[in-house]
Amino acid sequence: MGKKSLVGLSVEYPKTVVFLSVLLAMLFLTQFPKMTTDTNPKNMLPATSAVRVGNDGVEKTFGLYEDMIVLGVTHDQGVVNPGTLARIKRITQEIVLIPGVAARDVASFTTIDNVTMAEGALRVAPLMTEVPDDEAGLAQLRRALAENPLFINRIISPDGKTTAIYIPLEKGASGKEVADRLREIVRNEAGEERYAIAGDPVARDTFGAEMFKLMGMFAPMAGMIMFAVAFFMFKSLFLSMAIMAPAMIIIICSMGLIIGLGYPVHIMSSMSPVFLMAIATDSIHIFNEFYFRFHESGEKKAAILDTMRAVGKPLIYTDITTAVGFASLMLANIIPVKVFGFGVAFGTMLLLLLSFTLVPALLTFIRVDKIKRVTASEDHGTSKTTSLLMGLSRIGSRRPRATLLLGGLLVLVAVFGVSRIHVSNNLVEWFKTGSEIRMADRVLNQALGGTSLAYVVASAKEDDFMKNPAALRYIEGLQRHLETLPMVGKTFSVVDYVKRINLVLHDNDPKFDVVPETREEVGQYLFLFAMSAKPSDLDNVVDYPFRQANIWVQMKTWDAQAMRRVIAAMDEYAKGHPMPIELKPAGIAYFNLVWNDEVLWDMVKGFLAALVIVFIILMVNFRSFKWALISYVPLLFTILLLYGVIGFAGKDFDMPISVLSCLSLGMAVDFAIHFVGRFRLRRAEVACGESLADSLAWTAARPGKGIMRNALLFAGAFSVMLFAPLTPYITVGAFIVSMMLLSALMTIIYLPALITLMQGWLLKGENCSGD
Amino acid sequence: MKRLILLMLFLVIGPVARALAASPDEIIQKSQAAFFYPGADFKARVMMKLISPGGQERVREMTMLRLNTGEAGGEQKYFMYFFQPAEVKDMTFMVFKYPAKDDDRWLFVPAINMVRRIAMQDKQASFVGSDFTYEDVSGRDLGDDVHELAREEVLNGRECFVVKSTPKADSAGYGSKLSWIDKASFLPLQEEYHDRAGSTVRVFTADEVKEVKGFPTITKRTMKNLQSGHRTEVSYVSQDYNVGLEDSLFSERFLRQPPKKWIE
């Protein structure tokens, strides 16, 4: 009753309603200047999360950096030539001056320490201090690179054509800014060298920044497209604006709320305007029905009230299910995901309120003469759209068994596709195949040990344990074991330094390319090394009391699966080699794995919760288990088919897709709610005066047209994303466009088929179901 | 009249003379003599603590012997015997320092009973893993830098010259150095190493100065790396000058078997 009077009041005092709505929007708009942004996807896990605390500890213990950029330099005739070497030297000198770069630990030809024996003297010094000016010097450098296993695959490719400069970043530095500066530096170098800039911080920070830019661009574009499509459908400028008004208000209010509560706008919440705009298309059912009603009665106010009476209930339930889909994200552990879910759920509920106040109020301002002209075509007996929709519904109602059988087959195929889905989150692959970031990553991963860095930390229970030859042999064995994995391109540890010194002290006698026999030897070699090497060389691989050792693992892919396999191999080795040493993963690749799992499973958890809650809401809505079940079918069918396609297409199930799951749930069920709700209303109205097939056809043509309009508007708005330069947007766009169209089709074809086939069970209450 | 001329002469020459006395090259030269060359020889038991940003420590304990074989600023010989860490006990290290040319260095590795010459071009490499460089331990050639007197100021109650030294070669590990040099003892009480962008990278402080046989001696010092958060504290457990070191001590033979009386 309350809502009817709400609509009544709004129609009575439309100007007040409009005024109040604008006031509300203005109120939330006042919060906008407080906006802070956070483009770092890493912050999706709070700083207190176990993985971040663990990584911080490891970084502190071993003097490591959270983030590292890799600059690759390739020359087809080999990088050891005076020109290229001079460039490497010059570039390195410029790199250490970039703000945000941890200058003291940049690893390049001119800074990386080499241990050699020359003219009877042991030498620990940077590999190259001056560019050699003669052939002898070049040959010596080539030999130095080739003979030291610490260099191969790390700073020189086995074919000698590619080198890399490893650029660690200070905490809080932006990978994108450093990468941009690097691009400038290499651009100033004329020459035949090719450069590649890769590494997680580049991808991550570039993605974060791009995402914000894109959202700022796509939200207005989607809005404009929606406006244009609405105008094309209703041929009224005013009506198109009336459709956009609630969308604008809920976007302002929900963003204003998030900002006002003090949350930074994160990459996640930056997506909410586009989502809210799409959700706001739900109000199209009001306009759709109003056109029919007005056409039939010709009386404006009565038509508004009748419209709200007819579509009111489905609107309430569709908005609630959508809100539930997003509110389910609030079960997540990740705060930006929670905030996003909360913001969109809030906006959706506000939309519901506006649908019963602002939208009817706006309808009262429509000029009667104009509307008469444009609604003239809204007769569902004649128009082409109408006959198409009716035809679609008759496929289902005439040949229900065949239709369902075909559907069943499709489901089987889809289930098979779903089983092939590969869960992964590869940040680098969020960029297009031809993009600079992807190419750089590919080039470097082909030539060198890998751009993705993880650590395995070996911890013993007593100090100085890592000077034990047995402990070193254990670590060496672990390195060889990890290197058997195809995506592990390089590992190194304190063992490599000890072996190197052993070999060099013994005049490169290959017999001594092993871990020495005694603890004294190990201790003295390490001391000797530390006497002249950069302190960080040793600090990076052993802790102060020699209780822990750190093994660097370079991987050739950012796929979280690679890290998962490294951990599995690590555990397997630990099991097979008893030793009082505990092995633990760390590093950015490990962080990405945890991030991936947490974000993904939070989404899946939300999705499952939403599945249950939506079903309960459907039962409450229809007051019937059977009808809830029936209207659930298009939803499940749509989602299964889409994920089936994802499985077959070999597209990874990643973060963007998991976010979509929650959205799809709330949206895909909407059409079924409208259809079933209106169908049952129709049956109640016409009593037994209409055949089942005709009632279904009417439903398909009347609210069905609203469904089609909704789907098209929605799909139109999201189709802009197909042209985005980042693959997650293309995925989101393609997913939503096909989801809307598919669930509309499913609703209009499969619901009639199901209802026809199960009429005995479903329509038992109807007295005339027997004829 | 005569007096007046004298007074005028004094007024004119006084500042000039003071300025001459305060010529930055001279200050640095005196400072190096006071810091690295006092006495004919020197012996100290040194405790060195390497402290990580997290507060973990590594200890190096050694006996350091120094013999001046030339003038202040000239050649020197250094001998180091290590007591700690435990597994490097008996390790010895010898340096012949030459101005304007690479030093000669030898190391004895007892575990494999081997003496090795160590080539070292980079005097700014870390000294035994500490925050001190070899140069910090044995001094830098006067002519390697351009010195200028930045200002004079009081530091911790001591009148100091503040000298800015800028390396002539761009291969130096830092951009410039500011030294607070005590006007009385000419010891550096504080040093700041700046990178080329101008920010401070390392800071040296003399934490305790004692007079030993008439030579003011820094007995406690700290070098802190502001970028890595790492620091090294050095203290002399005992120290003495003019103990009568002989040139013959600085040989491969004694590197392998150092005489007990010199190392204990």
Side-chain angles (χ1 to χ4, degrees), chain B residues 79 92 94 108 113 115 248-259:
Chain B
F79 190 105
T92 49
M94 187 163 73
F108 171 60
N113 191 26
V115 170
S248 62
L249 176 72
F250 297 85
S251 65
E252 182 174 334
R253 185 179 139 223
F254 288 120
L255 203 54
R256 285 175 188 270
Q257 274 183 322

Side-chain angles (χ1 to χ4, degrees), chain B:
Chain B
M1 194 63 201
K2 222 174 171 185
R3 276 188 174 182
L4 194 66
I5 294 171
L6 270 175
L7 184 69
M8 282 187 67
L9 263 175
F10 182 75
L11 282 176
V12 174
I13 294 171
V16 174
R18 277 228 312 278
L20 281 178
S23 123
D25 277 32
E26 232 170 72
I27 295 171
I28 293 296
Q29 200 171 10
K30 281 188 175 175
S31 173
Q32 289 200 341
F35 194 24
F36 298 111
Y37 288 88
D41 59 36
F42 177 64
K43 176 188 172 186
R45 179 81 167 235
V46 180
M47 271 299 253
M48 189 178 247
K49 271 189 200 162
L50 283 55
I51 302 161
S52 78
Q56 293 177 302
E57 291 184 1
R58 269 182 201 155
V59 174
R60 313 239 177 287
E61 190 182 358
M62 69 198 104
T63 287
M64 187 174 91
L65 306 170
R66 165 171 61 76
L67 179 68
N68 291 356
T69 50
E71 293 295 297
E75 294 184 9
Q76 285 181 319
K77 290 179 180 175
Y78 285 85
F79 190 105
M80 276 165 235
Y81 172 89
F82 288 96
F83 295 94
Q84 278 201 76
E87 58 305 308
V88 307
K89 191 166 165 7
D90 294 337
M91 233 172 157
T92 49
F93 182 50
M94 187 163 73
V95 181
F96 289 3
K97 184 186 141 191
Y98 314 106
K101 134 175 171 195
D102 283 344
D103 302 345
D104 281 326
R105 292 163 191 192
W106 294 266
L107 183 80
F108 171 60
V109 187
I112 48 174
N113 191 26
M114 181 189 277
V115 170
R116 275 291 179 197
R117 210 160 64 76
I118 298 193
M120 199 114 41
Q121 292 169 330
D122 188 5
K123 292 183 173 186
Q124 270 128 23
S126 150
F127 174 71
V128 294
S130 73
D131 294 292
F132 290 92
T133 63
Y134 281 89
E135 227 167 48
D136 295 333
V137 176
S138 61
R140 183 172 164 87
D141 292 337
L142 186 70
D144 284 353
D145 308 292
V146 174
H147 307 284
E148 51 188 310
L149 185 61
R151 57 183 181 270
E152 297 177 24
E153 67 183 25
V154 175
L155 180 77
N156 301 328
R158 311 281 301 179
E159 291 270 336
C160 288
F161 296 113
V162 184
V163 179
K164 184 180 180 186
S165 308
T166 311
K168 290 175 185 165
D170 60 354
S171 60
Y174 56 93
S176 65
K177 179 171 95 169
L178 267 190
S179 312
W180 279 256
I181 294 166
D182 186 357
K183 285 185 179 176
S185 68
F186 279 93
L187 287 176
L189 300 184
Q190 180 174 302
E191 290 173 344
E192 282 181 8
Y193 292 82
H194 302 277
D195 63 15
R196 287 184 180 77
S199 51
T200 313
V201 182
R202 292 192 306 152
V203 176
F204 164 89
T205 48
D207 305 323
E208 187 185 84
V209 181
K210 273 189 197 163
E211 193 133 322
V212 180
K213 279 193 179 165
F215 300 107
T217 308
I218 298 173
T219 48
K220 276 188 183 154
R221 68 192 77 185
T222 304
M223 182 70 86
K224 188 166 181 169
N225 188 320
L226 300 184
Q227 283 182 340
S228 65
H230 199 282
R231 71 174 196 278
T232 303
E233 294 176 1
V234 174
S235 57
Y236 292 167
V237 180
S238 61
Q239 64 280 313
D240 202 359
Y241 291 97
N242 301 334
V243 292
L245 290 180
E246 284 164 22
D247 197 53
S248 62
L249 176 72
F250 297 85
S251 65
E252 182 174 334
R253 185 179 139 223
F254 288 120
L255 203 54
R256 285 175 188 270
Q257 274 183 322
K260 265 209 160 59
K261 73 163 195 174
W262 290 124
I263 58 167
E264 296 283 280

Side-chain angles (χ1 to χ4, degrees), chain A residues 197-470:
Chain A
I197 299 169
D200 180 78
V202 186
R204 180 158 29 79
D205 295 342
T206 307
F207 185 81
E210 288 281 301
M211 187 158 179
F212 254 67
K213 249 196 303 193
L214 282 178
M215 275 304 153
M217 218 165 72
F218 277 126
M221 265 170 78
M224 261 144 41
I225 289 186
M226 261 176 68
F227 187 80
V229 174
F231 181 74
F232 174 75
M233 282 173 178
F234 295 106
K235 316 225 168 23
S236 154
L237 210 57
F238 179 79
L239 262 184
S240 311
M241 284 198 288
I243 290 171
M244 297 305 292
M248 290 301 135
I249 292 176
I250 61 169
I251 289 170
I252 291 171
C253 291
S254 116
M255 294 306 282
L257 182 71
I258 289 174
I259 296 164
L261 288 175
Y263 293 106
V265 176
H266 200 271
I267 50 167
M268 199 82 194
S269 32
S270 77
M271 295 196 290
S272 38
V274 178
F275 279 120
L276 284 169
M277 193 141 14
I279 291 165
T281 57
D282 200 32
S283 66
I284 203 143
H285 292 278
I286 303 175
F287 297 94
N288 183 62
E289 186 63 20
F290 173 73
Y291 263 41
F292 281 112
R293 297 271 170 177
F294 187 77
H295 181 68
E296 284 161 8
S297 73
E299 217 276 299
K300 196 160 72 177
K301 265 188 192 168
I304 296 172
L305 292 176
D306 285 347
T307 298
M308 291 316 290
R309 221 164 282 136
V311 300
K313 199 172 168 192
L315 267 182
I316 290 176
Y317 284 96
T318 52
D319 284 343
I320 288 179
T321 49
T322 305
V324 161
F326 282 98
S328 69
L329 293 179
M330 288 167 69
L331 294 173
N333 294 322
I334 296 164
I335 291 159
V337 174
K338 278 186 187 187
V339 172
F340 170 70
F342 167 72
V344 177
F346 168 78
T348 309
M349 293 318 285
L350 185 64
L351 175 74
L352 183 58
L353 179 69
L354 293 178
S355 302
F356 285 91
T357 51
L358 180 64
V359 175
L362 285 174
L363 284 175
T364 62
F365 295 116
I366 288 179
R367 287 194 1 240
V368 177
D369 54 332
K370 198 162 180 198
I371 205 166
K372 277 212 170 111
R373 208 173 56 236
V374 290
T375 55
S377 62
E378 294 289 336
D379 183 348
H380 63 79
T382 54
S383 95
K384 252 188 243 166
T385 328
T386 308
S387 50
L388 173 73
L389 289 169
M390 288 176 120
L392 282 177
S393 83
R394 294 202 195 273
I395 299 174
S397 56
R398 285 202 186 126
R399 306 182 140 267
R401 274 170 227 279
T403 316
L404 286 179
L405 191 69
L406 185 69
L409 283 176
L410 275 175
V411 166
L412 278 181
V413 175
V415 166
F416 179 65
V418 169
S419 71
R420 294 175 34 144
I421 282 186
H422 175 218
V423 178
S424 172
N425 222 355
N426 185 337
L427 208 67
V428 173
E429 283 185 7
W430 286 7
F431 294 86
K432 282 188 176 173
T433 322
S435 66
E436 201 193 324
I437 286 182
R438 279 283 285 277
M439 305 240 287
D441 208 59
R442 201 162 44 234
V443 165
L444 284 176
N445 282 330
Q446 268 164 16
L448 297 163
T451 56
S452 169
L453 181 61
Y455 305 115
V456 172
V457 177
S459 310
K461 286 175 188 65
E462 52 187 280
D463 286 357
D464 288 331
F465 194 82
M466 291 305 163
K467 290 174 181 167
N468 211 325

Side-chain angles (χ1 to χ4, degrees), chain A residues 588-652:
Chain A
I588 186 71
Y590 177 60
F591 172 85
N592 283 346
L593 171 69
V594 175
W595 188 88
N596 174 47
D597 285 357
E598 292 256 333
V599 176
L600 212 67
W601 293 117
D602 260 3
M603 297 291 173
V604 172
K605 212 163 62 186
F607 177 73
L608 293 177
L611 264 182
V612 174
I613 301 171
V614 164
F615 189 78
I616 294 170
I617 295 173
L618 285 176
M619 287 211 315
V620 173
N621 178 11
F622 298 126
R623 308 231 161 30
S624 151
F625 175 76
K626 296 182 222 169
W627 281 108
L629 204 62
I630 291 293
S631 41
Y632 218 46
V633 170
L635 162 75
L636 286 182
F637 201 16
T638 306
I639 291 177
L640 262 179
L641 280 189
L642 282 176
Y643 283 106
V645 170
I646 287 171
F648 279 118
K651 171 93 192 71
D652 288 344

